[in-house]
Amino acid sequence: MTEAEDRKPRSDEARYDPEITSEFAIPEGLAVPRTLAEPETTSEFALPEGLQTPEPPSTEPEGSAFTLPRTYSAGDTLAAFTPATGVPLVSLVKDAPWQDRMRTMLRMPVAERPAPEHVQREEEGGPAVPRVLDLTLRIGELLLAGGEGAEDVEAAMFAVCRSYGLDRCEPNVTFTLLSISHQPSLVEDPVTASRTVRRRGTDYTRLAAVFRLVDDLTDPETHVSLEEAYRRLAEIRRNRHPYPGWALTLASGLLAGAASILVGGDLIVFIAAALGAMLGDRLAWLCAGRGLPEFYQFTVAAMPPAAIGVAFALAHVDVKAAAVVTGGLFALLPGRALVAGVQDGLTGFYITASARLLEVLYFFVGIVTGVLIVLYFGVKVGGKLNPDAALIINERPVIQIAASMLLSLTFAVLLQQERSTVLWVTLNGGVAWTVYGAMHYVANISPVASTAVAAGLVGLFGQLLSRYRFASALPYTTAAIGPLLPGSATYFGLLSMAQNEVDKGLVSLANAASLAMAIAIGVNLGSEVFRLFLRVGSPGKRRAAKRTRGF
């Protein structure tokens, strides 16, 4: 080999190497002109060669918009500050119910949340993320459609995700939309899924079954695979209501009759109020079967009790016609939606709270429309209905306590509660009316304050019972507030407006609204007082729901 051949570039050897079979190889014998090597900088923002850029003026002060940005350096950062007491370690009490543990973690920043304590895994890699998110949304849909508060729905969704190892999850609950987002890591794209809640139904038996499923998922001693969770959820959705339709109609009548006894009615009034409520319930079922909205169902259901009361007044029968109408209103007032709406507002879910309260307003307007139509025509044809009868209520403690317990029992049946919870909520309702009667009739305390205290005890006992049975608090509180609903104040406000006494009617309706708010706030306050003394979160004071001040 000559010296010239020895100095030949090795690239030429690679060019004519017969072992190279790539389709991009240069064929033998083809002369290709030698070009300069391509520069490494290929960005379109690179400066062309030979172009001179002017130096920036040095007269601009540091921090000006026209000065070049200074390169960040870790040496320029301030020293990290660690409090003298140290950073508190977040530790959750293992024996606390999953609702409180999940609620505590939701109120923490994402970086401070502890790792999942227990993971339900099927194989080494764990279940697929989209399937876990879908299961979470389906569980949240059943809870939200059943009337559960938004914060408890978020806690349940968060618990399901953590049970399957998805710790970086953020659920979001509104009145009709559920969404959840999972971010595997800081460098991976998040996975987001959503579900719309289109139908709502009252079935606390189904609600309790969903709570048991979530409790099993969060239990470290119970292994529930994803397929098993889907199967149990499908069974929950397919299960029939525990009470047939005729039992619901009978319960509606007994509820109205018991409410009429609370406001001073006798046996005749009891029977009349029961018949009016059952007729209204059947008419509402007929409207529902025809596809009419709930607004018209409430309007139609409110007419028969009012018509019976007006008929008594026209016939000059010596009975309390006002008690008949009031009993019918007790069976229609949306106490469940009212409590849930106020609870969402107090816990910081303002959009959901506004939607729930707007729903309550529509239901209330439907009831008002139905009663006012009947009362207006009753007054026009000569019916003598006395608004001052609201001030004359016979004090019969034993009979009224029994009536309040019957009202709570029938309310529980209407809510489709489990038979094991009916007795507890009946006793809770009797306690609520006893406290209200002792404060209002004996101690002469205002009805608003008496109602708030009684509702607070209902919320407190409801939380105690729900924590004892690891279930939702709704089956133990909603029916128990039935005896406290402002049925009489609502009726007498409508009656005054039908008799062209608008100012007096508005005052009575404002009183009814105050009583309703006292019920809702009292129930929520009783629940929060119970949670206040639970040792669930990290040492120190309990974190607030959203923020502690208005800024």
Side-chain angles (χ1 to χ4, degrees), residues 103 107 149-152 154 339-350 352-353 524 527-528 531 542 544-547:
R103 186 183 292 106
R107 294 175 180 179
E151 188 178 29
D152 291 328
E154 278 196 358
V339 172
V342 175
Q343 180 180 359
D344 288 342
L346 293 176
T347 52
F349 294 85
Y350 301 113
T352 307
N524 180 263
S527 303
E528 291 296 328
R531 296 193 189 110
R542 174 175 173 265
K546 293 294 181 183
R547 57 187 180 185

Side-chain angles (χ1 to χ4, degrees), residues 161-238:
C161 286
R162 287 181 64 87
S163 299
Y164 289 100
L166 308 184
D167 54 339
R168 296 185 183 90
C169 288
E170 288 296 333
N172 187 21
V173 177
T174 59
F175 186 60
T176 57
L177 181 65
L178 298 171
S179 63
I180 188 166
S181 178
H182 168 64
Q183 189 170 10
S185 65
L186 296 177
V187 296
E188 296 182 69
D189 295 332
V191 181
T192 304
S194 62
R195 193 173 184 88
T196 303
V197 180
R198 302 188 183 277
R199 298 189 60 184
R200 301 178 183 274
T202 304
D203 190 343
Y204 282 2
T205 300
R206 180 179 297 173
L207 193 71
V210 176
F211 263 75
R212 283 193 294 269
L213 173 60
V214 179
D215 185 48
D216 290 341
L217 290 176
T218 56
D219 187 6
E221 299 180 357
T222 305
H223 177 75
V224 181
S225 64
L226 198 61
E227 281 72 16
E228 176 68 15
Y230 266 108
R231 184 190 64 79
R232 290 180 57 178
L233 192 63
E235 291 180 355
I236 293 172
R237 298 180 70 97
R238 286 196 304 264

Side-chain angles (χ1 to χ4, degrees), residues 38-43:
E38 186 178 353
E40 295 181 359
T41 304
T42 59
S43 172

Side-chain angles (χ1 to χ4, degrees), residues 100 137 162 177 211-212 263 290 313 327 333 369 431-432 476 483 486:
D100 298 308
L137 290 174
R162 287 181 64 87
L177 181 65
F211 263 75
R212 283 193 294 269
V263 294
R290 297 293 182 178
L333 292 178
T369 303
V431 171
Y476 302 99

Side-chain angles (χ1 to χ4, degrees), residues 418-450:
E418 291 181 306
R419 292 177 174 86
S420 60
T421 65
V422 171
L423 177 60
W424 293 108
V425 74
T426 301
L427 296 176
N428 202 6
V431 171
W433 180 260
T434 302
V435 173
Y436 172 80
M439 294 183 63
H440 179 54
Y441 296 118
V442 179
N444 293 324
I445 301 177
S446 67
V448 176
S450 303

Side-chain angles (χ1 to χ4, degrees), residues 295 334 356-366:
F295 175 86
R356 287 187 191 269
L357 294 178
L358 185 61
E359 181 187 39
V360 172
L361 178 62
Y362 271 103
F363 291 163
F364 189 76
V365 170

